[in-house]
Amino acid sequence: MKQHQTITSLPPSPEAERRARMIRYTIAMSIRVACIFAMLFAQGWWLVVFAAGAVFLPYVAVVLANVSGPSRDTEVLRPGGIVPVTPPPGGAGAAPNASPPDDAGRHDDGRGAA
């Protein structure tokens, strides 16, 4: 029985991977904007926390955007393997009990006559 192959083992398309990276980058930069906005109203240690977020989040956003997608297996799944075929016993290709064809001895010269 043949094993059916699926496309689930294929990596995501470049467009899908690019879109996922852009979403991660946008989320990280949105958090940075929120940190900058929160710095306007924060006092004490919270001001330091939000300032650190505003300073270090661009680096984190770039690193997150450039990380490839989920870890993939390096093994390539191939459709089916090569199955060696052994020749039948008793000869190289001919069946031992083969009967001659029905039109043995006839020659067709192309004129339609038998």
Side-chain angles (χ1 to χ4, degrees):
M1 183 171 168
K2 278 190 168 180
Q3 179 184 11
H4 295 286
Q5 298 296 319
T6 62
I7 62 170
T8 57
S9 62
L10 295 176
S13 68
E15 292 82 19
E17 190 173 354
R18 186 177 311 115
R19 184 174 188 278
R21 287 186 293 139
M22 287 176 58
I23 289 172
R24 283 192 301 249
Y25 182 79
T26 302
I27 289 171
M29 294 311 288
S30 299
I31 295 171
R32 179 185 186 218
V33 169
C35 286
I36 291 172
F37 186 72
M39 282 174 49
L40 298 173
F41 302 105
Q43 296 178 0
W45 286 103
W46 284 108
L47 182 62
V48 175
V49 170
F50 291 133
V55 170
F56 293 114
L57 268 176
Y59 173 76
V60 172
V62 169
V63 170
L64 285 177
N66 288 330
V67 169
S68 63
S71 62
R72 299 181 206 146
D73 294 336
T74 56
E75 179 183 347
V76 177
L77 299 177
R78 290 176 175 81
I82 298 175
V83 179
V85 178
T86 58
N97 296 339
S99 61
D102 292 335
D103 60 346
R106 292 185 186 175
H107 175 69
D108 184 20
D109 59 358
R111 289 183 270 170

